Amino acid sequence: DWGAPADELNKIHPLMVLLYCGFIAFSVLCMLNIVTGIFVENATSITRSDADNMVMEELCSQERRLAEMSHLFEIAAGPGADRLQEHQFVEFIAHKKVRAYFSQIGLNVER
């Protein structure tokens, strides 16, 4: 109860009640500032970790696409071949599924 100390201060001088109210207001604002700072810090750390997760997901996605591309080129080159000839590549990209895959990853292989 804030009233009892305020009554005692009012007996001393009415201005003391005003100073007491100012002290209480200042204390409450300080506490609110601390609590707000905690919430902002938590939100910032969540955002930072979310950005880190997005970077990690993109790296994993790139690795997955690279593995898929390697597999596609191995299929195009044929069994046991370590190189893909130009004519093999041209024949390979003639397939609709292959062109659709390249289009999906942002590569234009249209003639």
Side-chain angles (χ1 to χ4, degrees), residues 95-108:
H95 297 3
K96 287 182 181 180
K97 285 186 179 181
V98 175
R99 285 196 314 263
Y101 175 77
F102 281 120
S103 176
Q104 178 192 9
I105 62 171
L107 295 175
N108 184 10

Side-chain angles (χ1 to χ4, degrees), residues 39-85:
F39 280 116
V40 168
E41 180 62 32
N42 286 338
T44 303
S45 69
I46 288 170
T47 303
R48 189 177 312 118
S49 69
D50 189 43
D52 291 343
N53 287 339
M54 287 174 40
V55 168
M56 291 304 295
E57 285 178 19
E58 180 61 29
L59 290 174
C60 289
S61 177
Q62 286 178 358
E63 288 178 11
R64 205 171 35 253
R65 281 195 304 259
L66 182 62
E68 290 172 358
M69 292 286 290
S70 295
H71 181 68
L72 278 176
F73 284 116
E74 286 172 6
I75 292 171
D82 61 344
R83 295 189 184 259
L84 179 65
Q85 301 298 322

